[in-house]
Amino acid sequence: WLVIDRKVYDVSKFSKQHPGGSRVISHYAGQDATDAFVAFHNDKSLVKKYLKSLLIGELAPDQPSFESNKKKSLLEDFRELRCTIEKMGLLRPNYIFFFLIFLHLLVLDAASWLVVWYFGISLVPFLVGMAFFTIAQIQMGWFQHDLGHCSVFRKPKWNRILQMVVIDVLKGLPASWWNHLHNQHHAKPNCFRKDPDLNMHPLLFSLGKTLSVEVSTGMAGEAKILKMESCLQPAHYNVFSFFSLEKRRRSSCLTIISISISSVS
C-alpha cells in the first residue's frame, strides 16, 4: 500500500501492470507518494479514475501526509513554489527552442559523417568528425531526456515517439530501458539501492565517502564494515584508485561509461 493525498491505496497487484514499472511503486511501499504522483502524471484526472478501485482507506487526522525523512515546512514551501511556477506558465514548452535543438543535433551528426566521407580518415578530418559526433551524441542524450519527461509535447504519445527516434535510432539504446531507470532516479533521488544512478559497477566505481572507504579498505585486505546511510547526499564518483572528484559534481565521463556497461548487461 501507499498514500496519495491522504488516501491509502492497495497497489500490490496493480504494481505489475503499472506503465511506469513496478519498482517505482515498490520504492514507495508503506510511504506517502503524493509528490511523486503529482510529478509523474500530467493528466491526473485520468489516472485518478484507476485509483478508485484501489482505495482501501484514509489516514487518521493525526497522521502526517509526507515522507518521514522530509521536513514538513520545506515540503509545504516546495508544493507552494510548484503551484506558483505552474500558474506563471514557466513549465510550458517552447517549441521553437526544441525544434532548433533537434535540428542542430541532426546537422552535427550528419556533419560528422560527411567530414570523414569527404576528407577521408586522416588525423585532422577524423578528429573534427569525432568532435562533431561527440557533441551531437551528448545533445541527443539531453534532448531525449526532456522527451522522456514528456516536457516537449503536451501529449505523452508524441514525446515517446520522438524519444524512440532519438535514443533508439540515433543513439542505439532502448527508450524503455532508460525510462525504467530514470523514473526510479526521480522517484527516489540519491537513495542508495533505490536510485539506479547510484548503482555504479561494483568493480570499477564506488559512490560517496562512506562507500569509497568501505570498498577501498575491503580491497586492501582490511575487513571493515562501515555504517552506510540509506539516502546519500550528492557525493563523489571514484574509479580504481578511488580518485575523488570535486564535491557535488558528477563526472560525465564515468557516468557515460557506467551507462554503457549497464546497457550491455
Side-chain angles (χ1 to χ4, degrees):
W1 60 268
L2 51 76
V3 178
I4 300 174
D5 290 330
R6 301 194 63 81
K7 294 182 179 180
V8 183
Y9 298 93
D10 182 0
V11 294
S12 53
K13 293 182 179 180
F14 172 76
S15 62
K16 299 178 181 178
Q17 305 171 355
H18 183 233
S22 60
R23 289 189 181 182
V24 176
I25 291 183
S26 65
H27 291 339
Y28 278 94
Q31 301 178 23
D32 188 287
T34 302
D35 293 291
F37 175 82
V38 172
F40 278 98
H41 303 94
N42 292 330
D43 192 351
K44 298 170 186 61
S45 59
L46 175 64
V47 180
K48 286 184 177 180
K49 293 180 181 179
Y50 295 93
L51 289 176
K52 291 182 179 179
S53 61
L54 306 177
L55 182 65
I56 57 175
E58 292 190 30
L59 291 179
D62 59 335
Q63 288 281 11
S65 181
F66 56 90
E67 294 180 66
S68 58
N69 63 335
K70 294 183 178 179
K71 292 184 179 180
K72 182 180 180 181
S73 58
L74 292 177
L75 192 58
E76 290 175 348
D77 289 343
F78 169 76
R79 291 174 178 175
E80 182 180 353
L81 177 63
R82 181 180 61 204
C83 292
T84 302
I85 291 175
E86 289 176 349
K87 290 178 181 178
M88 294 174 64
L90 297 179
L91 298 182
R92 284 196 291 266
N94 186 327
Y95 295 113
I96 297 177
F97 169 79
F98 285 113
F99 172 76
L100 293 176
I101 288 290
F102 187 48
L103 180 64
H104 103 274
L105 65 85
L106 289 178
V107 170
L108 285 172
D109 190 61
S112 66
W113 295 104
L114 287 173
V115 167
V116 175
W117 172 76
Y118 187 79
F119 293 101
I121 57 174
S122 57
L123 181 60
V124 174
F126 177 77
L127 292 177
V128 172
M130 185 173 63
F132 285 158
F133 185 77
T134 302
I135 296 172
Q137 288 291 310
I138 294 173
Q139 291 295 324
M140 287 176 193
W142 288 114
F143 184 56
Q144 74 83 27
H145 171 273
D146 291 340
L147 290 166
H149 279 284
C150 297
S151 300
V152 179
F153 301 103
R154 292 184 178 180
K155 292 186 177 181
K157 179 178 70 173
W158 297 114
N159 285 285
R160 299 304 182 202
I161 291 175
L162 188 54
Q163 185 194 23
M164 286 190 290
V165 171
V166 175
I167 190 172
D168 288 19
V169 178
L170 298 178
K171 288 187 68 67
L173 292 172
S176 57
W177 166 80
W178 186 90
N179 290 331
H180 174 66
L181 296 180
H182 201 64
N183 286 342
Q184 296 179 66
H185 161 68
H186 279 286
K188 288 289 183 178
N190 291 330
C191 287
F192 188 57
R193 300 194 187 284
K194 290 187 176 182
D195 183 354
D197 283 13
L198 305 188
N199 296 337
M200 308 294 280
H201 193 281
L203 298 180
L204 303 181
F205 307 95
S206 63
L207 170 75
K209 291 182 178 179
T210 304
L211 186 56
S212 301
V213 174
E214 180 180 356
V215 175
S216 61
T217 54
M219 292 180 66
E222 301 176 14
K224 280 189 178 181
I225 300 177
L226 304 176
K227 184 179 180 181
M228 294 174 54
E229 298 176 354
S230 59
C231 289
L232 302 175
Q233 297 298 321
H236 314 288
Y237 287 102
N238 308 292
V239 58
F240 291 116
S241 61
F242 306 101
F243 174 74
S244 296
L245 300 175
E246 185 178 341
K247 206 170 189 179
R248 299 183 180 223
R249 177 183 175 187
R250 290 191 179 194
S251 168
S252 299
C253 179
L254 298 187
T255 303
I256 292 172
I257 294 173
S258 178
I259 289 176
S260 300
I261 295 173
S262 300
S263 65
V264 173
S265 58

